[in-house]
Each structure stands twice: as C-alpha cells, then as structure tokens.
Amino acid sequence: MTAGQELLPPVAEDLTRTTHIVLVRHGLPMTGVSANPPLSPQGRQQAAQAGEWLRWESPVALISSPYLRAWETARGIGEATGLPVDVDDDLREWSEPVTHYITPELLAGTDRGRAFAEWRFADFIPAHDREDLTRRMTAVVARAAQRWPGRTVILVSHGGAINNLLAHVLGIDLAFFFNPGYTSLCRLQVMPSGRMVPTSVNETAHLVADRTTAAPIVLDEGTA
C-alpha cells in the first residue's frame, strides 16, 4: 500500500437482488430418428415431474434452448408453472449444426460408450468449441440475472452445456465432469455484482418424490 492509500472495507452484496438460476437438462429424447429429436414418452413424464417440483419455487421466467428435446421439456415445465416458454439460441449445446443425435445409453459396447461408462468423458465428447459455449452460457445467465434480480429463472439446456458452464464457474479444467440425469436440476445464485455461486449439481429428487411445500429462500446476511 502506497502513501495516501487506505484499505477500504468490503462492500456487502445486496442479497435481496440475488437471482436464483435453475439449469435443467432436457428429458429423455427419442433416438436415432433425427438430428433434432423430440422427447420420448418417458421424457415427457420427466418434464412434467420437473414442472410439478419447480412450480413451488415461484419462477418468473422459463427460457429454453432451440433444440426440440429442450423446448418440449420446457413446455412440460411451463404447463405446471403457468409460464410461457421463451427461446434463447445461446442455450444450444453445439456451435455448429448437428447432423445426428444418439443417447449415450445406446452407445454401450462402442469405444465412445465404454468411455462414457468409465467416466472418461474427454474421450466420449466430440470436439467442440468450449470457449464459445462458455461465452454463450454465461451470457444467458447474466442476462437473466439483470432482467429478474432477486427472482427465480429456469433455463432448459443440455448436459454438455450445463457441465461446461459449471466447470467454468468452479474453475474445473474439464468440459464434462459429471453425468447429468435427464431433467436433472443444477442451481446457481447470481449476485448483483455478477458473481455466480453454484449451490447444487444434478438434483433428481423430483423423479422419485412429490413436493407439497414452497421452498424458503434463506439469505445469509453476513455474506459479502
């Protein structure tokens, strides 16, 4: 510290303006039918269960990737929450157009399938523009936080995109560090300063349980 400079006390965040972001992976899609498949019957059920769970959190906005499997998941959540579905192209998984889609479960026995089963995700995931994906996903979250401070916003995206975002926030040098369940929930708190704080990864309770009470929002007033 040079002469004339003083250490200033840290400025506390206004936690009443913390935005709660719920990242939802899409439900189980059909596979082998197109590069942009719809949800399977099981996937539609998963989306309905996610919606019944999330409606207790009074979300104010629901935004989806343009891919059909994500949009149909968001539509199922919207039917339960009463929210319309907005689409944001930045929530898509790939930077380039995709030519085919197959679920990881159907790759069993192949080299990629074995890599996935053994958690060698770097060998499983095709090459992609991680930098672009990180930029897009963080931009979507930042826009939501700026538009709906202090509220809960649902973003429906894809396993790789959510992995990439959380790895960036956590400082993990992996593009894919956990295996997300279909319609799994991951949560971020976005502070007024823009700081992103992960609060949960890969929640799937809504697939096995019912919810009958609203979730209280607990703010630690001592957090800076």
Side-chain angles (χ1 to χ4, degrees):
M1 184 171 64
T2 60
Q5 287 183 324
E6 295 181 3
L7 290 176
L8 298 177
V11 178
E13 299 265 23
D14 178 2
L15 297 185
T16 64
R17 295 177 61 81
T18 297
T19 304
H20 301 264
I21 301 292
V22 183
L23 299 157
V24 184
R25 187 196 180 191
H26 60 77
L28 177 68
M30 303 288 285
T31 190
V33 296
S34 74
N36 188 24
L39 290 182
S40 65
Q42 183 179 349
R44 291 194 295 272
Q45 175 63 27
Q46 291 165 341
Q49 289 172 289
E52 286 297 319
W53 190 268
L54 290 171
R55 71 184 180 89
W56 291 97
E57 299 182 28
S58 302
V60 296
L62 174 59
I63 307 171
S64 173
S65 154
Y67 294 170
L68 186 57
R69 57 191 179 276
W71 185 85
E72 288 191 349
T73 300
R75 181 178 63 181
I77 294 172
E79 289 174 355
T81 60
L83 293 171
V85 179
D86 292 324
V87 173
D88 192 319
D89 192 59
D90 280 347
L91 286 169
R92 71 191 189 279
E93 189 156 36
W94 305 110
S95 300
E96 301 296 329
V98 294
T99 58
H100 66 281
Y101 179 85
I102 186 169
T103 60
E105 293 81 3
L106 294 184
L107 291 171
T110 67
D111 288 342
R112 285 188 66 208
R114 282 189 289 273
F116 188 86
E118 295 170 5
W119 288 56
R120 291 183 287 110
F121 295 130
D123 298 332
F124 167 77
I125 300 172
H128 72 290
D129 190 339
R130 184 177 180 185
E131 210 171 278
D132 177 65
L133 182 54
T134 297
R135 178 192 60 77
R136 289 191 281 105
M137 291 294 289
T138 54
V140 175
V141 171
R143 286 195 294 270
Q146 290 167 4
R147 185 172 178 184
W148 293 286
R151 308 302 294 274
T152 296
V153 179
I154 301 170
L155 305 180
V156 183
S157 187
H158 306 268
I162 294 170
N163 258 278
N164 210 78
L165 173 63
L166 293 180
H168 168 71
V169 174
L170 291 167
I172 297 173
D173 190 24
L174 292 171
F176 202 105
F177 69 98
F178 74 98
N179 182 9
Y182 290 110
T183 68
S184 62
L185 315 178
C186 298
R187 299 175 187 270
L188 287 173
Q189 289 187 341
V190 186
M191 306 300 181
S193 63
R195 182 163 57 102
M196 299 181 190
V197 180
T199 56
S200 75
V201 175
N202 214 18
E203 294 178 31
T204 55
H206 58 280
L207 299 177
V208 295
D210 294 323
R211 184 173 181 176
T212 57
T213 57
I217 296 176
V218 179
L219 299 178
D220 180 359
E221 297 297 339
T223 301

